[in-house]
Amino acid sequence: MSLPTRRGVVAGSLALAACTRASADAPTGPLPPLKSLASFPLGVCATTEQFDELGWTELVRTHFDRVTPEWEMKAEAFARPEGGYDFGRADRLADAASTRGLKTFGHTLVWYSQVPRPFQALDGDRRAFAAAYRAYVTTAARRYAGRVVGWDVVNEPVMDDGQGYRDCLWRKNLGMDYVRLAFEHAREADPEAVLFLNDYNLEQLPKKRADFLRLAESLLKAGAPLGGLGTQTHIPADLKPGRIAEAVRELGVLGLPVHVSELDISLTRGPGPLASRSSLEDGQKRLATEVVQAIQDLPPAQRWGLTVWGARDRDSWLRRTPENRGPRPDAPLLFDDEGRPKGVAHAVAAALKG
Ligand code: G3I
């Protein structure tokens, strides 16, 4: 982790000063530190490189309690194609967060879309595959035991179309037991972390949510150490009111902590062509308010928290898509490209105050 340069310090200070000035679409007045208003932890995704930026770091330290690595704690970042591991980036991120008083939430140990290459060679050999699977999960979870407050142990196991569970190499070789085994291996390696099952579109697809809850219930019945449910909440700004509240309420029925784990509210992905930018910005404020209120409506012990999938609009993964390089790119987050609070940030502050 390099120390900020003099130029970086000057730029960072200007950005920090700017972050108290409101963005174009925001009400006037500085934004209080959001984490000081919340009755639950506030998180943001982060990359190792972002901790080199003073402006980003100060914005995150001011408003958030926790970071989720955007990619450094995934197989694509730490599993070497030839076998073995390189945890360098993940270590630097965890150290950078800890040095700045931020907790880290691990994301993600087992994902259908990121199976380390050595597992391909074990495909069909159940005993060898199972042994390698245990080694993989325990190696990563043990390394960060005591350094992460929780993990997304299994990410996106459910099909979108209400047809049950995804096929993947994990399931092909271990059956659906791959989910239970992942939780057991993670618990074996880390006795403290809260272990989550995480998925997306749970607010937009009720059948998917039902399958997700069915899987969660089966894990609990099997005695798996499932400790929480994550609903990513990547949503369009014209999402029907009430969908989020309904999803969070239903996910809360099992009595486990619920994590709105990857919130962004897109102005360009999903909304119909007739929706004006200002109406979508209003929708963004309304939906962010609904998210906060849905978490506040949970019993305190179930409020794992709210994590936004990026601090500034330019940090969003949605800005890396080809359609977002035009004159009006997406603005899905709480702070604008310069780190200034937008109207949606003030809406979140008002909702957090209750
Ligand atoms: O920046 C590095 C570069 O230094 C490196 O040389 C290069 C080598 O491949 O990778 C670059 O990292 C990229 C990283 O994003 C940058 O943040 C990775 O290639 C790229 O795969 C990675 O994409 C991430 C994606 O998940 C896949 O891991 C996105 O940032 C991240 O926003 C996205 O997040 C997912 C959640 O994990 C699950 N839910 C959906 C969400 C959005 O897709």
Side-chain angles (χ1 to χ4, degrees):
M1 183 64 46
S2 57
L3 291 174
T5 61
R6 176 173 160 66
R7 183 166 47 84
V9 169
V10 170
S13 310
L14 290 174
L16 188 56
C19 89
T20 54
R21 282 200 320 273
S23 173
D25 80 330
T28 54
L31 182 75
L34 293 175
K35 65 183 180 182
S36 67
L37 306 174
S39 63
F40 47 81
L42 294 179
V44 59
C45 75
T47 66
T48 312
E49 287 77 17
Q50 283 166 337
F51 277 104
D52 284 335
E53 281 187 61
L54 187 62
W56 179 91
T57 303
E58 284 314 300
L59 183 68
V60 166
R61 289 179 67 179
T62 300
H63 295 290
F64 299 97
D65 308 280
R66 202 160 66 191
V67 292
T68 298
E70 187 165 10
W71 75 292
E72 286 86 345
M73 288 191 185
K74 294 173 183 171
E76 68 173 326
F78 67 69
R80 286 204 179 97
E82 68 277 17
Y85 307 97
D86 175 1
F87 289 108
R89 284 174 183 257
D91 286 349
R92 283 196 299 278
L93 188 143
D95 292 346
S98 170
T99 307
R100 290 160 179 82
L102 295 161
K103 296 189 185 325
T104 298
F105 181 81
H107 171 81
T108 177
L109 292 170
V110 173
W111 192 7
Y112 76 92
S113 72
Q114 294 194 13
V115 180
R117 194 176 302 163
F119 282 97
Q120 305 294 346
L122 301 175
D123 186 9
D125 180 345
R126 178 170 177 125
R127 179 187 298 273
F129 192 100
Y133 187 67
R134 177 166 177 256
Y136 165 73
V137 174
T138 53
T139 299
R142 184 166 293 116
R143 187 174 189 92
Y144 297 101
R147 298 163 74 185
V148 297
V149 291
W151 274 101
D152 283 330
V153 174
V154 175
N155 189 44
E156 302 176 4
V158 182
M159 290 291 285
D160 250 0
D161 57 7
Q163 300 305 310
Y165 307 123
R166 287 186 192 279
D167 287 324
C168 58
L169 200 68
W170 310 123
R171 182 180 184 184
K172 183 183 171 192
N173 284 275
L174 302 172
M176 278 308 289
D177 254 359
Y178 87 90
V179 181
R180 175 181 60 79
L181 289 169
F183 279 87
E184 290 178 357
H185 296 337
R187 175 56 74 235
E188 173 194 344
D190 183 339
E192 301 301 326
V194 183
L195 304 179
F196 280 75
L197 188 69
N198 190 52
D199 219 322
Y200 67 92
N201 276 356
L202 301 182
E203 68 291 315
Q204 301 185 63
L205 302 174
K207 281 187 182 173
K208 178 172 188 176
R209 185 167 73 234
D211 285 340
F212 181 83
L213 280 167
R214 196 169 303 117
L215 177 56
E217 283 180 305
S218 69
L219 289 169
L220 293 174
K221 281 188 186 128
L226 173 65
L229 301 177
T231 176
Q232 293 179 14
T233 319
H234 296 287
I235 54 177
D238 64 351
L239 179 69
K240 187 168 174 283
R243 290 287 176 88
I244 295 168
E246 180 189 35
V248 171
R249 188 172 48 250
E250 262 193 35
L251 290 169
V253 160
L254 293 183
L256 293 173
V258 176
H259 182 198
V260 175
S261 56
E262 305 178 18
L263 178 66
D264 43 39
I265 307 175
S266 177
L267 303 183
T268 60
R269 202 168 193 242
L274 301 180
S276 72
R277 186 85 171 192
S278 61
S279 70
L280 290 170
E281 284 166 351
D282 289 343
Q284 198 177 56
K285 295 168 196 168
R286 177 177 46 75
L287 289 165
T289 299
E290 185 177 332
V291 167
V292 169
Q293 290 172 344
I295 298 171
Q296 288 170 331
D297 287 348
L298 291 168
Q302 289 188 256
R303 298 176 197 163
W304 181 258
L306 163 59
T307 298
V308 288
W309 209 242
R312 304 160 304 190
D313 288 330
R314 62 185 165 101
D315 300 320
S316 174
W317 67 292
L318 291 168
R319 288 284 282 272
R320 296 174 216 146
T321 52
E323 70 265 21
N324 259 298
R325 298 204 175 105
R328 290 302 303 268
D330 208 347
L333 299 172
L334 302 185
F335 298 90
D336 70 13
D337 287 356
E338 284 70 45
R340 295 172 304 186
K342 296 171 1 184
V344 59
H346 287 277
V348 166
L352 289 172
K353 286 175 191 165

